[in-house]
Amino acid sequence: MKAHDGMYIDGAWRPADGRDTIEVVNPAHEQVIGKVPAGTALDVDTAVRAARAALPAWAATPPAERAARLAALRDVLVARKDEVAETVTAELGSPLKFSQAVHAAAPIAVAGSYAELAATYAFEEKIGNSVVHHEPVGVVGAITPWNYPLHQIVAKVAPALAAGCTIVLKPAEDTPLTAQLFAEAVHEAGVPAGVFNLVTGLGPVAGQALAEHPGVDLVSFTGSTAVGRRIGALAGAAVKQVALELGGKSANVILPSADLAKAVNVGVANVMSNSGQTCSAWTRMLVHADRYEEAVQLAAEAAAKYGDRIGPVVNAKQQERVRGYIEKGVAEGARVVAGGPEAPREQGYFVSPTVFADVSEDMTIAQEEIFGPVLSILRYEDEEDALRIANGTVYGLAGAVWAGDEAEAVAFARRMDTGQVDINGGRFNPLAPFGGYKQSGVGRELGPHGLTEYLQTKSLQF
């Protein structure tokens, strides 16, 4: 798609405050494919004012009408799914088939789920002698990442619209074209002017201005834990609500009774998906000592198949960061059994699919989020040892457990300090709450739990 040279504010594309722009680079061939405005604090202020002006009417709109707008938005995304996939591939580098199957399809499912929820959710309930109203929290400042550019936008905007909130979106500067396409879809779906607004820009400028703006009632952010702490501090100073979906270092626990080959192959695929740029990726594989070397060999063979299947990481800085972690793993004594720090291609921000064996739980690669196609395999002695290792990071976003008996896997999963656990390869559920424990965040996204993040309650006693 052709990049817009303005901001989408109050139902129209309007000139940006300043003249600075952000270049959008295709990470596969390192060529500039477009430019978008670098928003200023004034752009953010204009957008927030538009959202505030539109709030009373949208909040008072019957849920059935809000549901109709969300259904229309879903239909537009369906009609433009090929364009979505091509745009994500161009600015993120994701292989086109993956963009079609995930980057374009998942947001359609999520938008559809909130169209249904908006129409059926109990926005009012009777408790004793009280009537409890669930009302929109107000103006939402949504700050989204680049790794799943449209999915993360829809996961915030759709429930906010369903709740009756108005929104100002600041997307990641690496993938703003997808956000502009989404703004076009919102407009085409007939969402009233001012209800959704888009400001492109840099995090330290536009993102910070949005997080600390007094006209914003809730800040919803997905990204690194470090930035999440900063946003939490800015929002806390004004005592405004936050929803933070942050980092992860998820454990894939393979119990002795599991189908080892299946668990390892699915685990490797999970880590390599989206070039490893997934916060919930199972980047630590935990295997019993008796089957450890067998698992290592299986993982190395599986990873070797991904050399020409995955795309690049998002930019040169991320490529250098991931390769730096690989070098750190080697320096700390881990054994490379697939891949390594060398760039596999001369052009593009590619990283070799890498698997480490002999990883101890205190190594950097076992504790810090790498956000690239890098898997660490750790050895455990018994179930209690596995649980201790699985829970032994500052994160708690996701995880997996494999066992021959489902009840055994469920019993282990219940003791994991994490927000979401897949049992024997359980499928993604767009209605299940997604979010983490500990430093993986605050709040939940998706489904009815995601909707409640954008509501506040009022009790009327009779």
Side-chain angles (χ1 to χ4, degrees):
M1 64 169 289
K2 184 180 184 297
H4 290 274
D5 59 3
M7 310 296 186
Y8 184 77
I9 297 175
D10 202 18
W13 292 97
R14 303 178 184 278
D17 169 52
R19 295 184 178 180
D20 291 343
T21 59
I22 299 169
E23 291 185 338
V24 184
V25 177
N26 182 311
H29 55 59
E30 303 180 46
Q31 300 298 312
V32 175
I33 57 173
K35 295 180 181 180
V36 299
T40 66
L42 182 57
D43 290 314
V44 170
D45 182 66
T46 303
V48 172
R49 289 178 183 276
R52 283 235 79 87
L55 179 61
W58 183 247
T61 299
E65 175 58 23
R66 300 202 295 261
R69 291 307 98 213
L70 281 164
L73 175 60
R74 175 204 57 207
D75 293 345
V76 174
L77 293 177
V78 169
R80 301 183 68 173
K81 64 182 186 299
D82 291 340
E83 186 181 1
V84 168
E86 291 165 2
T87 301
V88 173
T89 291
E91 60 182 358
L92 181 63
S94 169
L96 185 58
K97 286 185 178 180
F98 188 81
S99 293
Q100 292 167 334
V102 177
H103 289 295
I108 291 169
V110 172
S113 74
Y114 280 111
E116 295 180 10
L117 274 169
T120 59
Y121 190 84
F123 288 96
E124 183 175 291
E125 59 182 322
K126 185 80 162 58
I127 302 177
N129 65 306
S130 301
V131 172
V132 179
H133 292 275
H134 299 281
E135 302 175 347
V137 71
V139 174
V140 173
I143 303 174
T144 56
W146 44 260
N147 59 326
Y148 289 90
L150 185 59
H151 171 68
Q152 293 292 351
I153 288 171
V154 173
K156 298 182 188 305
V157 173
L161 291 175
C165 297
T166 56
I167 306 106
V168 177
L169 169 67
K170 204 298 285 183
E173 49 264 37
D174 290 290
T175 53
L177 302 183
T178 301
Q180 289 190 340
L181 191 158
F182 178 75
E184 293 177 357
V186 168
H187 189 87
E188 189 175 341
V191 175
V195 171
F196 171 82
N197 306 274
L198 170 68
V199 175
T200 54
L202 301 175
V205 180
Q208 178 164 328
L210 186 58
E212 63 187 2
H213 197 289
V216 171
D217 300 295
L218 180 147
V219 181
S220 180
F221 168 77
T222 297
S224 72
T225 297
V227 176
R229 290 193 194 100
R230 174 63 177 160
I231 288 174
L234 291 171
V239 198
K240 67 178 66 175
Q241 293 177 235
V242 294
L244 304 173
E245 198 270 283
L246 308 176
K249 195 68 184 175
S250 301
N252 179 18
V253 182
I254 305 175
L255 296 175
S257 63
D259 180 336
L260 185 66
K262 181 178 180 181
V264 169
N265 281 302
V266 174
V268 170
N270 175 277
V271 172
M272 302 307 162
S273 176
N274 208 39
S275 302
Q277 300 169 128
T278 303
C279 55
S280 57
W282 311 333
T283 52
R284 294 181 298 143
M285 181 179 288
L286 278 57
V287 184
H288 191 275
D290 291 347
R291 305 193 72 182
Y292 185 79
E293 288 302 331
E294 183 184 356
V296 168
Q297 180 63 33
L298 287 168
E301 293 172 357
K305 300 175 183 177
Y306 286 88
D308 57 357
R309 289 188 195 175
I310 64 173
V313 294
V314 70
N315 56 38
K317 181 180 179 181
Q318 186 67 12
Q319 181 192 44
E320 190 61 28
R321 180 179 187 271
V322 176
R323 292 174 64 189
Y325 271 111
I326 297 173
E327 291 169 353
K328 184 76 169 177
V330 172
E332 291 184 356
R335 172 167 51 112
V336 176
V337 296
E342 296 78 16
R345 306 186 195 184
E346 292 185 4
Q347 186 181 53
Y349 308 127
F350 290 89
V351 175
S352 295
T354 298
V355 176
F356 279 106
D358 301 336
V359 179
S360 61
E361 59 190 288
D362 59 343
M363 288 182 180
T364 302
I365 58 172
Q367 289 292 322
E368 297 184 12
E369 185 177 42
I370 298 172
F371 227 60
V374 181
L375 170 65
S376 296
I377 309 180
L378 293 84
R379 180 187 287 105
Y380 69 85
E381 299 299 326
D382 55 33
E383 188 170 304
E384 292 304 313
D385 191 36
L387 183 67
R388 180 185 57 78
I389 296 170
N391 290 339
T393 75
V394 298
Y395 298 110
L397 185 56
V401 183
W402 301 78
D405 177 48
E406 185 177 284
E408 179 188 6
V410 170
F412 188 95
R414 290 184 184 278
R415 297 200 290 163
M416 294 175 71
D417 297 334
T418 190
Q420 193 171 60
V421 185
D422 292 346
I423 306 298
N424 289 336
R427 294 180 294 110
F428 171 72
N429 179 3
L431 293 176
F434 180 80
Y437 291 13
K438 301 187 284 189
Q439 292 189 28
S440 285
V442 177
R444 293 294 183 268
E445 292 188 328
L446 303 180
H449 290 271
L451 177 57
T452 61
E453 293 292 331
Y454 299 93
L455 295 169
Q456 55 189 347
T457 56
K458 177 186 293 179
S459 297
L460 304 179
Q461 282 62 249
F462 292 90

